[in-house]
Amino acid sequence: MDQSVAIQETLAEGETCLIISFVWGKGCYAGRRYLVLRACRIFIYTHRRMAIAAEDVCLERVLPIAEGFAVEEGTAPRRRALFCVTRPSQDFVYLGLKNLQGWRLHPLSGEPGPVLHHPPCERVFPNLQPQLPLLQPEPIAPCPVDRPTETSPECCVLRRQVAKTRGAIQPREGRSRGRGVFVSEEGRLRQSKPKTEVTSAMVRSSTMMVSDKASLLSVKKFELRDTIVKSQLVQKEDSYTSIQNFRFFVGTYNVNGQSPRGSLQPWLSHDIEPPDIYCVGFQELDLSKEAFFFNDTPKEEEWFKAVTDSLHPGAKYAKVKLIRLVGIMLLLYVKADLAPNISEVEAETVGTGIMGRMGNKGGVAIRFKFHNTGVCMVNSHLAAHTEEYERRNQDFKDICSRMQFCQADPSLPPLTINKHDVILWLGDLNYRIEELDMEKVKKFVEEKAFLALYQHDQLKRQMDEKAVFEGFTEGEISFQPTYKYDTGCDDWDTSEKCRAPAWCDRILWKGKNITQLSYRSHMALKISDHKPVSSMFEIGVGIVNEELYRKAFEEIVRSLDKMENANIPSVTLSQREFFFKDVKYMQLQVEKLTIRNGQVPCQFEFISKPDEDTYCKEWLIANPCKGFLLPDSEITVELEMFVNKSTATNLNSGEDKLEDILVLHLDRGKDYFLSVTGNYLPSCFGSPIHTLCYMRDPIQDMSAESIRDLTLMPLHMSGEAFQSEKPLEIPKELWMMVDHLYRNASQQEDLFQQPGLRSEFEHIRDCLDKGTHDTLLGSNHSVAEALLLFLESLPEPVICYEFYTLCLESASNYVLGRQIVSKLPECHKNVFKYLMAFLRELLKNSGKNRLDANILASIFGGLLLHPPPSQPKPDITEKRRAQQFIHQFLLREDNSP
C-alpha cells in the first residue's frame, strides 16, 4: 500500500516520503529478510484505513537508529504502519513496515548487542553516534481492527537521497509545520485534521488503493479451518450484505497514434452527475516501431495527463491503476472518498498478435474489489480486416483463457476474468458490417436506420451463434458507426482503401445488478479515424454490514468447533489413469478428473514428489492444482497437456516421454496417485537444423531410433555415421514455407505482422511433419506465422549461441559480421543466407507489402540471434544490437560466405 501521499501532506517544505521496493536479504541472517538502516531517526505513523490525506495518518513516535544495524522479522500481534521521512540535511535509507512489534534491530558486526523492542523510544544504544534530542510523542492507543483477525506482517522500504550537509535538525517550536502536524513547545507532536483536497499529485501517485474495510472478509490464516470459514462466509454472503448502486463510466477510444489535442471533457464529462468510478481505455496509443517492439512510448504520459485533466469537475478523483501493452492502455480512477473501499487491485496483459504474443493486438485488464464485489475491466484490440472475424473470436478466447490475476493469498489459484461478479469489456473489437456495400451502409446511416444496419453486424451475428462473448450483453446501438473517418472531420474515409463504416468500438458487460444508463459515441472529438464511445452504468455493489458479518462468522466458527477432528477426509476419483493419444506440437489436449468429496470438508492439492521441484512435468498442468471441497460436493480438474518449444526437443529425441505420476494430497487425509501417459508425434518444430538436413523423409515417417540418433548428433559432428546420404543444404520444411511465401505473399500487406489462424497453423504443421501435400494449405499470414514459430522452436538458433556476443560486438561492422557468419556450421550458414535472400526479395515489394528493413530486422533479429536459455533475457540494448546486426545484411546483397 502506498501511503506516502498522505504522509507527504503532513511534512514541512523540503521533507520527503518516497516508497521503493523491498529487498530480500541474503548473508547476514540466512533465510530471513533484513535491511541495512543508515539514518539518525525513524518516524512511525499509524493509520486505521487507506490513507488518502493528512488527516488519515498520525505520527506515533520517533526512533533513533545507529548506522550499521539490520532488521529481522519476528511476530506481530498488532497492526501498525511505519513510514520514514527524509530531512534535507541527511542522505538516508529508511524502512517501512506495517507491524512494528516483533521487529528487532541487531548490529551487523555479529557481536552481541541490544535488541530493540516496543516501545523503542527509551532504549539507548551503546554504539550510537551523537544524536539530536529525541522528540517524545504523546502515547497513542492502538488502532482497532475492522475485522475478526489481523493479517500477517508486510513490509516495504522507503528511500530518498537528499543533499549531504552537517546541519542539525532542530524541532520547530510553537508553530504549525504547515501540513497537519503541530509541534508544541514541549516537543510533543500532535495531529491536526485540516480539510485537504485530492491534488493532481495525489492522483498521479495513488497507484494502488487497498482498504482494511474492503478486505473485511479476510480472516486469519489457519490452513483448512480458514478455508472452510472463507467458503461458508461466501455461501452466507446474502445474510450480511446489502446492495448499493454506484455509477461507473466506461469509455473506449482508438486514437490512431495521435497525441491529445484539446480537452477530453466532451467525452469524459458529458453527464451532469459525476460518476463514482472511471474506466478509460485506449487503443493504438502509439503506432511507432519503438512502441511495437520495445513497449516504450512517451504518449502514455500525454494521454494520462489529458484524461486526468478532463475528469468530471464535480468530484475529486484518485488514480487506482494504469496498465499498458504497446498501444492498448487502461486507466482506473475512483472518487477520493470511495478509495478506502477499493482493495485487491491487480493488472495483467495478454498479447495476441503475431506468434500469439506480440502486443499490437491483445488485451489489458484491471481487477479489484469494490466493497464486497469483485470487478474486472478488460480493454482489448482484436484482429483487423472484415474477413478476419474468426481470428477476432480466437483473440477473445485467448484473452479469456490466458488472463490470470494473482490473489493476495499466494496459496490460492489465480483468478480468471470470469471469476468476477462484474465484468466490463471495452475496446476496438474490430467487428465489421458484412454483406452490404459501402453505399448501402452509408444510406442506412443517413436514414438513421441503425437497427436494420445492426442486423448485418458481425459481432451481433457471432454472439447469436454463441461463438464469442457468451453470457455478455450489449446495449442498443443508437449512434452511427464509429469507424472510419477522415482525421479532423466527420467525413467517411476517402483514402485509397475507402474502408466501409463499422461499429468497431464497443462496450459489453456481464454480471448481476447492472443497468446501462447510456451508450453513445462522441462526434465532437476528431483527432482520430475512430470516434470515442462511452457508457454509463449503474451497478449494484455488495456492502458488508459488519455486525451481521460478525454474527455469521461466529456462527460458522461454533459449528466448526463441534465437527472438527470428527473424521478423516476422503474423496472418490472418477479415474486414476489418463492417456493422451497422439499429442502434437502446440496443440492442447485436455482430460477431466472429477473429485467427489465425502462427509468431511477437505482441502486438496497436487504436491511434488521427493527430489522434484514441481508437482508435474513441464508439459502438464492441473487446473486447478489446489482447492477446497465442502461435504458431498465435487470439483472437475482439467489435466492439460501442451508441448511447446521448451519440451519438444527432448520428446522428439526420446530423452523424455509423456509419463508422469501426480500425487493428490488431502490435508489431514491420505494421498492418491494418478498415472498420466501419452504418445507424442515427433515434429520438425523443436528439431535442430542439422537434424532436419539429414532427414529426407518427413519426420513422422522415420523410425524413433533414427530420429533419436539424428537429434542427439552433435552439431559439429562431420556426419561419418550418415555419409551414405549427403545432407540437404537447408531443411525441406523451411524451404516449403519460404517458397510458399515467395510465390504467394511477396506483395502481401502486413506480412509477418498479422497473425494467422490456429487451425491453419495446425494443418501446416501436419503437412510438414507428414509430407502429405506438395503445397501448404492456409492463408499467407498463417504460413508466415508458422515460419516464425519454426525459427523460434529451434533448440540452437540459426546464429549459434557461441557467436552471440561476437555478433553484438560487430553489430555496426558488416565486414566483421560476414566473417562471423562464415564460421557458422554449414547448415546454419546456408539457412541464414537463404533467409536473408528471401527477406531482401520481400523488400523489393515494399510498396505493396509495407515492409521495410527496420521492421524485418526487428521481427527476425530476436529469432535468429539470441542468448542461450541459461543467460538472462536480453535487455533493450542487446535487442537493438541484434536487430542492427540483421539489418546490415538486409541492405547488402552479397553472395559471399
Side-chain angles (χ1 to χ4, degrees):
M1 285 192 302
D2 185 352
Q3 316 290 351
S4 59
V5 173
I7 301 291
Q8 186 67 52
E9 289 276 303
T10 70
L11 306 182
E13 183 177 354
E15 298 179 347
T16 306
C17 177
L18 182 66
I19 277 190
I20 66 168
S21 60
F22 179 70
V23 179
W24 288 88
K26 293 182 179 179
C28 230
Y29 300 98
R32 297 179 177 176
R33 292 177 283 183
Y34 74 91
L35 293 165
V36 176
L37 304 180
R38 288 199 283 171
C40 68
R41 56 181 67 190
I42 289 181
F43 290 71
I44 305 167
Y45 287 80
T46 59
H47 66 94
R48 179 175 178 178
R49 63 184 181 88
M50 175 66 202
I52 298 297
E55 61 189 272
D56 301 323
V57 297
C58 185
L59 182 61
E60 180 173 337
R61 60 175 51 85
V62 183
L63 306 182
I65 300 297
E67 183 172 354
F69 273 74
V71 66
E72 175 190 349
E73 183 182 4
T75 58
R78 288 195 288 175
R79 285 179 66 84
R80 292 184 180 273
L82 181 149
F83 291 90
C84 306
V85 182
T86 64
R87 303 299 179 113
S89 57
Q90 274 86 15
D91 181 3
F92 294 158
V93 178
Y94 288 107
L95 166 72
L97 54 103
K98 277 187 179 176
N99 296 274
L100 175 63
Q101 284 191 320
W103 286 75
R104 300 177 293 173
L105 294 176
H106 296 277
L108 288 179
S109 63
E111 299 174 1
V115 177
L116 179 60
H117 290 291
H118 177 79
C121 305
E122 302 170 359
R123 183 75 57 167
V124 178
F125 297 102
N127 60 342
L128 257 178
Q129 299 172 0
Q131 299 291 326
L132 302 171
L134 179 64
L135 299 177
Q136 298 295 329
E138 294 178 346
I140 298 175
C143 298
V145 182
D146 289 334
R147 46 192 161 186
T149 55
E150 297 84 20
T151 57
S152 57
E154 296 175 53
C155 61
C156 60
V157 183
L158 302 162
R159 181 176 68 183
R160 177 67 174 172
Q161 290 191 345
V162 294
K164 295 182 179 179
T165 63
R166 298 233 176 231
I169 306 172
Q170 300 294 342
R172 306 181 183 190
E173 302 185 34
R175 65 183 182 90
S176 170
R177 301 185 64 175
R179 290 203 177 180
V181 177
F182 182 81
V183 183
S184 68
E185 294 182 4
E186 294 79 20
R188 296 180 180 269
L189 290 141
R190 284 191 288 270
Q191 182 79 26
S192 62
K193 301 203 176 220
K195 291 291 183 182
T196 55
E197 294 184 347
V198 178
T199 64
S200 60
M202 290 174 64
V203 172
R204 291 174 182 274
S205 300
S206 301
T207 56
M208 188 167 181
M209 308 287 172
V210 183
S211 164
D212 291 345
K213 291 182 180 178
S215 302
L216 187 66
L217 293 185
S218 297
V219 293
K220 186 176 180 179
K221 297 179 182 179
F222 43 112
E223 299 177 353
L224 178 60
R225 186 182 177 91
D226 167 49
T227 308
I228 297 172
V229 170
K230 287 181 180 179
S231 177
Q232 294 193 5
L233 280 171
V234 171
Q235 290 186 331
K236 294 176 176 287
E237 186 175 338
D238 292 342
S239 69
Y240 57 81
T241 59
S242 59
I243 300 299
Q244 181 177 333
N245 290 327
F246 294 88
R247 291 168 63 89
F248 284 61
F249 175 95
V250 180
T252 177
Y253 194 6
N254 183 318
V255 297
N256 192 33
Q258 303 299 310
S259 294
R261 295 195 294 271
S263 174
L264 301 178
Q265 283 197 347
W267 171 39
L268 301 177
S269 304
H270 188 85
D271 296 300
I272 297 176
E273 184 179 349
D276 299 301
I277 287 179
Y278 271 100
C279 173
V280 184
F282 294 96
Q283 307 83 41
E284 295 190 356
L285 200 74
D286 192 332
L287 298 176
S288 69
K289 299 179 183 66
E290 289 291 316
F292 180 69
F293 294 109
F294 302 109
N295 198 26
D296 183 27
T297 174
K299 294 190 176 179
E300 174 182 311
E301 180 66 21
E302 294 176 7
W303 281 101
F304 166 61
K305 184 178 186 303
V307 171
T308 301
D309 293 344
S310 301
L311 299 178
H312 202 291
K316 298 297 182 181
Y317 295 90
K319 185 191 81 175
V320 179
K321 194 72 176 177
L322 181 155
I323 183 72
R324 182 177 61 82
L325 174 67
V326 187
I328 310 169
M329 185 167 80
L330 185 61
L331 282 160
L332 178 63
Y333 297 84
V334 63
K335 276 184 178 178
D337 60 340
L338 296 176
N341 304 304
I342 298 284
S343 66
E344 300 179 19
V345 182
E346 292 289 341
E348 289 295 341
T349 67
V350 169
T352 61
I354 190 74
M355 300 173 69
R357 292 194 310 277
M358 299 298 285
N360 57 322
K361 293 295 187 290
V364 301
I366 300 173
R367 65 90 49 196
F368 60 96
K369 206 166 186 179
F370 186 35
H371 286 283
N372 201 44
T373 297
V375 182
C376 183
M377 297 175 168
V378 185
N379 175 22
S380 67
H381 191 187
L382 308 185
H385 306 302
T386 302
E387 69 278 4
E388 294 288 352
Y389 66 90
E390 288 183 339
R391 177 70 211 195
R392 289 187 274 280
N393 295 351
Q394 180 177 302
D395 286 350
F396 166 78
K397 293 173 183 175
D398 283 349
I399 293 170
C400 288
S401 63
R402 292 166 51 197
M403 189 78 75
Q404 296 188 336
F405 306 93
C406 295
Q407 297 202 60
D409 184 349
S411 67
L412 297 177
L415 289 174
T416 60
I417 292 173
N418 285 319
K419 296 291 186 181
H420 291 83
D421 304 307
V422 173
I423 305 170
L424 301 173
W425 198 300
L426 58 135
D428 180 359
L429 306 188
N430 252 325
Y431 288 93
R432 309 301 173 93
I433 293 169
E434 56 188 11
E435 298 178 354
L436 295 177
D437 59 31
M438 171 79 77
E439 296 307 316
K440 188 69 172 175
V441 173
K442 290 182 178 180
K443 183 178 180 181
F444 275 121
V445 174
E446 290 172 3
E447 297 173 351
K448 296 189 182 301
F450 299 134
L451 181 59
L453 184 60
Y454 182 62
Q455 304 309 309
H456 297 272
D457 177 71
Q458 284 182 339
L459 179 56
K460 177 192 182 304
R461 293 185 172 185
Q462 292 301 302
M463 289 179 68
D464 288 345
E465 296 175 9
K466 300 189 183 302
V468 71
F469 284 102
E470 189 170 358
F472 281 81
T473 304
E474 184 180 22
E476 179 182 348
I477 297 180
S478 58
F479 50 88
Q480 69 184 51
T482 56
Y483 173 84
K484 178 180 184 180
Y485 296 87
D486 286 342
T487 302
C489 64
D490 294 334
D491 297 334
W492 297 114
D493 181 26
T494 58
S495 68
E496 180 183 353
K497 295 180 180 178
C498 200
R499 302 284 193 192
W503 286 295
C504 290
D505 310 281
R506 313 290 273 268
I507 298 172
L508 301 93
W509 74 90
K510 184 178 182 180
K512 296 187 296 183
N513 302 316
I514 303 174
T515 302
Q516 189 178 55
L517 304 179
S518 65
Y519 190 23
R520 55 200 169 204
S521 66
H522 300 266
M523 301 294 290
L525 275 70
K526 307 177 190 296
I527 66 172
S528 172
D529 55 358
H530 289 249
K531 299 297 181 182
V533 172
S534 73
S535 180
M536 187 71 75
F537 293 96
E538 187 175 75
I539 299 179
V541 173
I543 308 295
V544 174
N545 181 304
E546 296 182 22
E547 183 61 32
L548 294 178
Y549 165 79
R550 286 190 172 87
K551 288 182 179 179
F553 176 81
E554 291 167 0
E555 181 182 330
I556 293 170
V557 172
R558 282 196 297 268
S559 65
L560 282 178
D561 288 340
K562 294 179 181 178
M563 60 176 278
E564 197 165 40
N565 297 324
N567 293 293
I568 296 177
S570 64
V571 298
T572 304
L573 307 181
S574 59
Q575 62 186 100
R576 301 197 187 192
E577 295 184 357
F578 299 87
F579 182 78
F580 291 81
K581 183 179 180 181
D582 295 341
V583 177
K584 299 179 180 180
Y585 182 80
M586 286 189 68
Q587 186 165 327
L588 179 67
Q589 282 199 33
V590 179
E591 292 286 339
K592 294 184 178 181
L593 163 69
T594 300
I595 305 175
R596 177 77 186 180
N597 192 26
Q599 300 303 308
V600 180
C602 79
Q603 189 162 297
F604 70 87
E605 179 180 5
F606 289 97
I607 61 173
S608 57
K609 299 176 285 294
D611 301 324
E612 294 188 9
D613 296 329
T614 59
Y615 71 86
C616 65
K617 296 284 187 68
E618 193 175 349
W619 35 258
L620 182 65
I621 190 171
N623 185 25
C625 63
K626 60 179 70 174
F628 170 74
L629 287 168
L630 290 171
D632 292 322
S633 64
E634 66 179 35
I635 189 172
T636 298
V637 175
E638 292 186 340
L639 302 181
E640 303 174 357
M641 186 170 289
F642 187 76
V643 175
N644 58 20
K645 63 177 181 179
S646 63
T647 54
T649 303
N650 287 341
L651 289 170
N652 280 336
S653 67
E655 292 178 284
D656 189 16
K657 295 185 182 298
L658 297 181
E659 297 176 356
D660 200 4
I661 300 293
L662 297 181
V663 182
L664 178 64
H665 173 72
L666 301 186
D667 189 42
R668 299 186 305 120
K670 67 176 184 177
D671 294 338
Y672 298 79
F673 298 90
L674 309 179
S675 171
V676 179
T677 57
N679 70 294
Y680 179 68
L681 300 180
S683 175
C684 63
F685 291 84
S687 295
I689 290 177
H690 67 286
T691 297
L692 294 174
C693 286
Y694 277 99
M695 291 185 180
R696 293 187 173 272
D697 295 326
I699 191 170
Q700 290 185 11
D701 287 348
M702 300 186 66
S703 67
E705 183 180 0
S706 296
I707 296 173
R708 175 183 175 83
D709 291 342
L710 289 172
T711 303
L712 297 179
M713 180 178 64
L715 174 60
H716 296 284
M717 180 177 174
S718 59
E720 293 86 352
F722 302 94
Q723 285 182 350
S724 58
E725 284 195 64
K726 182 181 179 181
L728 301 170
E729 290 191 356
I730 61 172
K732 59 187 178 304
E733 296 84 0
L734 175 67
W735 175 85
M736 287 185 67
M737 289 184 283
V738 171
D739 182 67
H740 177 97
L741 295 173
Y742 175 72
R743 288 185 290 104
N744 301 290
S746 293
Q747 299 183 9
Q748 176 69 58
E749 185 178 327
D750 292 333
L751 192 67
F752 295 117
Q753 299 172 82
Q754 176 73 24
L757 285 173
R758 182 173 302 148
S759 58
E760 292 183 349
F761 164 74
E762 292 172 356
H763 183 76
I764 293 167
R765 177 206 58 211
D766 291 347
C767 288
L768 297 174
D769 290 340
K770 296 178 181 178
T772 51
H773 299 281
D774 293 332
T775 58
L776 300 177
L777 303 179
S779 70
N780 292 333
H781 292 304
S782 295
V783 177
E785 186 169 19
L787 173 60
L788 298 181
L789 290 170
F790 173 83
L791 295 174
E792 183 193 43
S793 73
L794 294 173
E796 183 87 20
V798 175
I799 300 178
C800 303
Y801 290 133
E802 62 183 289
F803 298 103
Y804 175 71
T805 302
L806 288 174
C807 289
L808 296 188
E809 293 172 352
S810 64
S812 57
N813 189 328
Y814 176 66
V815 175
L816 184 56
R818 267 181 32 189
Q819 293 176 1
I820 295 172
V821 171
S822 68
K823 297 178 182 178
L824 294 174
E826 192 68 24
C827 54
H828 284 250
K829 179 172 61 179
N830 292 341
V831 168
F832 181 82
K833 292 172 61 179
Y834 182 64
L835 287 174
M836 291 301 104
F838 165 61
L839 296 180
R840 286 194 292 266
E841 287 297 317
L842 291 181
L843 291 176
K844 294 177 181 179
N845 294 278
S846 59
K848 296 286 186 179
N849 57 36
R850 300 199 305 178
L851 291 171
D852 61 39
N854 290 326
I855 292 176
L856 291 177
S858 299
I859 294 171
F860 284 86
L863 295 173
L864 304 181
L865 178 61
H866 58 84
S870 58
Q871 292 185 14
K873 291 184 178 180
D875 57 21
I876 291 181
T877 301
E878 290 184 7
K879 288 180 180 180
R880 292 183 191 276
R881 288 180 179 174
Q883 293 171 12
Q884 190 177 357
F885 182 86
I886 300 300
H887 187 272
Q888 57 190 349
F889 286 90
L890 296 176
L891 300 180
R892 293 176 172 84
E893 196 158 352
D894 191 346
N895 294 324
S896 62

